[in-house]
């Protein structure tokens, strides 16, 4: 079948979107025929602030129910596909919202949060982010990993320091993931993962979602969808066809203030990094361009079966395992 037909029949999952949530974005998700996405509802917020974000997301889903549906299980992802909607998988990019209360893990799971990143760029009570000297997973962090395993919540390591990431991979009894990363073999950056790190997570049953965030791509703001596929191919050659998926890190609709928030510790303190200009790869400018990625993967020699797995099927398999279905 041609690329458009393959895209139409496939489950399409984005492992990380932190865009500006509004009707325009949801319509673009429909245009891209996105089946489900891990939608960030917490960066630096504490428990109370994150609960407010969950409430707001619930309200958005209700107000846009012709386009969206909430995901608790992979059956909800399948239902979203059947209904032609986009499933919202709520996720955190920081375990800070758990504060020092292990019981909050269950609370957020009950609210529909299925994916949580252990740290966002800097240290929290669980471990250390990628922009600091990495002291590894704390004792409390080990308890959090165990509780996430118990309730069925995916441990995400995308912004986590290398020592903390390795210790989570070892500690977790369930598969873990880099939901959105790129290979250091194509560009050195604190957010990119070495060949050894990529191989280690795959060898331990984990998963890698490949991002296209311009500051981490080899060609930067001059990148095209072909550069993105190059990164996918690079990681594919290390982890294999069953442990790879898409995690774009779309920040669609956000402006300067949002990126200032992301690049300062706790959202307001010391500066951690500067992204510079951010332009998504040509051919993948918006979520609505998702069909172009299916076409590009086929053009670069991936088989139909491999494309179906990369574009979403592998994510479903991972989540079914972690969520205990």
């Amino acid at each position: 079948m041609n690329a458009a037909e393959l895209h139409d029949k496939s489950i399409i999952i984005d492992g990380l979107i932190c865009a500006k949530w509004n009707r325009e974005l949801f319509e673009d998700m429909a245009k891209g025929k996105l089946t489900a996405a891990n939608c960030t509802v917490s960066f630096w917020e504490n428990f109370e602030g994150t609960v407010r974000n969950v409430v707001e997301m619930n309200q958005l889903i209700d107000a846009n129910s012709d386009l969206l549906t909430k995901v608790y299980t992979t059956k909800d992802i399948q239902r979203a596909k059947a209904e032609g909607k986009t499933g919202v998988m709520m996720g955190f990019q920081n375990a800070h919202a758990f504060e020092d209360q292990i019981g909050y893990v269950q609370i957020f799971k009950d609210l529909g949060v299925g994916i949580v990143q252990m740290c966002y760029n800097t240290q929290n009570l669980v471990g250390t982010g990628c922009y600091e000297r990495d002291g590894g997973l704390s004792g409390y962090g080990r308890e959090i990993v165990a509780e996430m395993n118990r309730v069925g919540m995916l441990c995400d390591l995308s912004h986590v320091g290398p020592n903390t990431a390795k210790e989570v991979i070892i500690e977790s009894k369930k598969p873990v993931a880099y939901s959105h990363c790129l290979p250091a073999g194509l560009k050195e950056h604190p957010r990119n993962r070495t060949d050894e790190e990529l191989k280690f997570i795959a060898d331990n049953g984990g998963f890698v979602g490949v991002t296209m965030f311009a500051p981490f791509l080899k060609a930067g703001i001059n990148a095209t969808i072909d550069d993105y596929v190059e990164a996918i191919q690079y990681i594919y050659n290390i982890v294999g066809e069953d442990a790879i998926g898409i995690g774009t890190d779309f920040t669609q609709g956000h402006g300067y203030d949002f990126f200032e928030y992301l690049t300062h510790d706790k959202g307001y303190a010391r500066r951690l990094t500067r992204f510079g200009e951010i332009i998504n790869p040509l051919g993948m400018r918006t979520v609505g361009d998702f069909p172009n990625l299916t076409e590009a993967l086929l053009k670069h020699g991936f088989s139909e079966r491999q494309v179906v797995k990369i574009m979403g099927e592998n994510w479903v398999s991972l989540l079914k395992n972690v969520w205990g279905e």
Side-chain angles (χ1 to χ4, degrees):
M1 65 185 73
N2 63 36
E5 292 170 336
L6 186 64
H7 192 84
D8 286 350
K9 76 180 282 285
S10 300
I11 286 179
I12 309 298
I13 295 182
D14 193 334
L16 197 288
I17 292 182
C18 54
K20 188 174 182 63
W21 313 120
N22 54 33
R23 179 75 184 186
E24 182 181 3
L25 176 76
F26 305 144
E27 289 174 347
D28 209 34
M29 287 175 164
K31 177 184 175 185
K33 300 187 175 177
L34 191 61
T35 310
N38 171 22
C39 299
T40 300
V41 294
S42 186
F43 284 102
W44 304 109
E45 293 90 342
N46 62 7
F47 176 82
E48 183 181 353
T50 300
V51 170
R52 285 199 297 267
N53 290 346
V54 171
V55 169
E56 289 177 10
M57 182 61 82
N58 285 339
Q59 292 170 341
L60 280 168
I61 293 169
D62 288 343
N64 296 276
S65 59
D66 57 323
L67 298 175
L68 304 177
T69 186
K70 189 168 177 176
V71 170
Y72 292 92
T73 69
T74 58
K75 288 181 180 178
D76 295 327
I77 296 174
Q78 301 287 353
R79 179 171 51 81
K81 180 65 179 177
E83 295 176 355
K85 297 180 180 180
T86 298
V88 175
M89 304 184 290
M90 289 194 290
F92 299 172
Q93 291 210 52
N94 198 340
H96 182 66
F98 295 151
E99 299 183 358
D100 61 355
Q101 299 296 315
I102 297 171
Y104 287 176
V105 177
Q106 181 72 66
I107 294 294
F108 281 119
K109 176 66 176 181
D110 292 345
L111 292 175
V113 176
I115 303 171
V116 168
Q117 186 167 241
M118 312 313 291
C119 316
Y120 188 71
N121 293 336
T122 59
Q123 189 165 344
N124 60 21
L125 296 177
V126 168
T128 311
C130 62
Y131 287 111
E132 288 190 319
R133 180 173 58 85
D134 188 356
L137 187 65
S138 69
Y140 173 70
R142 296 177 195 281
E143 294 181 277
I144 288 292
V145 169
E147 182 68 356
M148 289 174 67
N149 285 173
R150 187 189 71 81
V151 306
M153 192 180 278
L154 178 65
C155 297
D156 184 2
L157 306 173
S158 301
H159 289 249
V160 173
N163 294 334
T164 300
K166 184 175 182 179
E167 291 180 2
V168 172
I169 293 168
I170 293 169
E171 187 73 20
S172 180
K173 302 300 188 292
K174 296 279 188 77
V176 302
Y178 296 118
S179 69
H180 56 297
C181 76
L182 281 166
L186 292 179
K187 181 175 181 177
E188 285 286 343
H189 192 281
R191 272 279 285 109
N192 292 351
R193 299 293 167 174
T194 65
D195 292 4
E196 292 74 21
E197 288 176 294
L198 295 169
K199 186 175 187 303
F200 187 77
I201 195 170
D203 287 349
N204 284 273
F207 185 88
V208 181
V210 189
T211 185
M212 56 169 212
F213 193 59
F216 311 149
L217 282 167
K218 182 175 67 175
I221 60 172
N222 298 312
T224 69
I225 196 169
D226 294 320
D227 295 298
Y228 184 29
V229 173
E230 178 189 20
I232 294 170
Q233 180 75 67
Y234 187 102
I235 291 177
Y236 174 95
N237 290 339
I238 295 173
V239 306
E241 69 176 57
D242 296 320
I244 188 170
I246 302 302
T248 62
D249 207 1
F250 264 117
T251 55
Q252 193 167 325
H254 282 302
Y256 175 82
D257 288 347
F258 177 73
F259 293 108
E260 284 294 285
Y261 175 72
L262 295 188
T263 54
H264 285 77
D265 186 28
K266 310 299 182 290
Y268 71 90
R270 71 186 187 282
R271 176 173 291 282
L272 303 171
T273 187
R274 292 183 187 274
F275 290 145
E277 191 174 10
I278 298 169
I279 301 175
N280 291 331
L282 183 65
M284 280 290 284
R285 295 291 201 224
T286 77
V287 181
D289 290 330
F290 248 100
N292 296 345
L293 184 55
T294 295
E295 182 178 15
L297 288 168
L298 290 170
K299 185 182 77 173
H300 282 264
F302 287 96
S303 70
E304 289 186 6
R305 179 69 185 138
Q306 290 165 340
V307 171
V308 168
K309 294 170 86 170
I310 292 169
M311 292 297 289
E313 191 174 282
N314 285 343
W315 266 115
V316 174
S317 297
L318 172 73
L319 294 172
K320 184 178 290 187
N321 183 345
V322 173
W323 290 352
E325 300 172 19

